[in-house]
Amino acid sequence: MNKMKMALEESSYLQPEEQELLQQLQMPLSFERAFSQLVQQYQERLYWHLRGMLGPHEEADEVLQNTFIKVYKGIDKFRGQSKLYTWLYRIATNEALSHLRKRKRHRTESLELLDHQAPAQADSYLPAEDIENLLQEAIALLPDRQRQVFLLRYYDEMPYQDMAEVLELSVGSLKASYHHAVKKIENYIKQQ
């Protein structure tokens, strides 16, 4: 009996349908069909999580594809020590953070050019699209951990206990990170 199968049988985290899906993923004859089912079941939730972290559809879609490639190659490493969605979420989040680090390196040169431009005049009315853009800018400026926590709590409305599982942090530190992120976002929007 392989390690994954033993771990799945001992896991109290997995729902019966998750256990069945994972068992099908262990069998060569049913692997492709089971993997397609896994993608169909989780792609939309993961996409919207990534979209919240990354912004543009193209980037979220690219990172989602990379996530499922990692899952495809590494599903045999899943040990059932968390819910399947939590494991997928963690992979997607790590892929998004990696993508954001790459984006940040490319953006540094662009920001240096912006520093030399004159500041825009304040307007008493901002359309909803502009407010959303300001919010996205503020989120992008947060440190990685605060950004993650803010997105999980604000957009995904994930309970702190689930976030603690996904991010492997204490509930107290997650609450503090969320509070600091909200304050930084508020300050950024007020300054703009």
Side-chain angles (χ1 to χ4, degrees), residues 3-19:
K3 290 180 184 177
M4 181 179 174
K5 189 171 186 174
M6 286 174 34
L8 294 177
E9 290 174 354
E10 297 170 4
S11 175
S12 61
Y13 292 102
L14 298 174
Q15 300 295 322
E17 61 274 3
E18 289 178 321
Q19 287 182 344

Side-chain angles (χ1 to χ4, degrees), residues 35-154:
F35 189 77
S36 290
Q37 182 182 345
L38 179 134
V39 170
Q40 288 175 352
Q41 188 171 346
Y42 295 106
Q43 72 181 351
E44 186 174 348
R45 287 171 67 192
L46 291 173
Y47 169 81
W48 286 109
H49 165 63
L50 293 169
R51 185 77 189 264
M53 286 186 77
L54 301 169
H57 161 74
E58 294 78 16
E59 291 183 38
D61 195 46
E62 177 186 337
V63 172
L64 181 64
Q65 288 178 27
N66 292 341
T67 298
F68 280 119
I69 289 169
K70 282 212 169 177
V71 170
Y72 186 88
K73 291 178 179 177
I75 192 69
D76 60 324
K77 292 177 181 73
F78 179 70
R79 300 288 175 235
Q81 296 174 340
S82 65
K83 295 176 185 173
L84 180 59
Y85 181 67
T86 302
W87 183 71
L88 296 170
Y89 211 92
R90 189 175 302 143
I91 293 170
T93 299
N94 288 339
E95 285 296 303
L97 290 173
S98 176
H99 182 83
L100 286 169
R101 281 189 290 275
K102 289 176 191 172
R103 184 200 297 168
K104 196 174 191 177
R105 283 193 299 266
H106 293 294
R107 207 181 270 182
T108 304
E109 293 173 6
S110 300
L111 289 176
E112 289 173 2
L113 292 174
L114 287 176
D115 285 342
H116 300 294
Q117 296 176 352
Q121 295 297 318
D123 199 350
S124 60
Y125 166 78
L126 285 175
E129 185 177 308
D130 290 347
I131 293 171
E132 179 63 27
N133 288 339
L134 276 176
L135 177 60
Q136 291 304 320
E137 288 173 17
I139 291 170
L141 294 172
L142 292 172
D144 288 342
R145 180 67 62 206
Q146 288 179 5
R147 183 182 322 110
Q148 265 184 296
V149 172
F150 181 80
L151 293 169
L152 291 173
R153 186 75 181 149
Y154 184 78

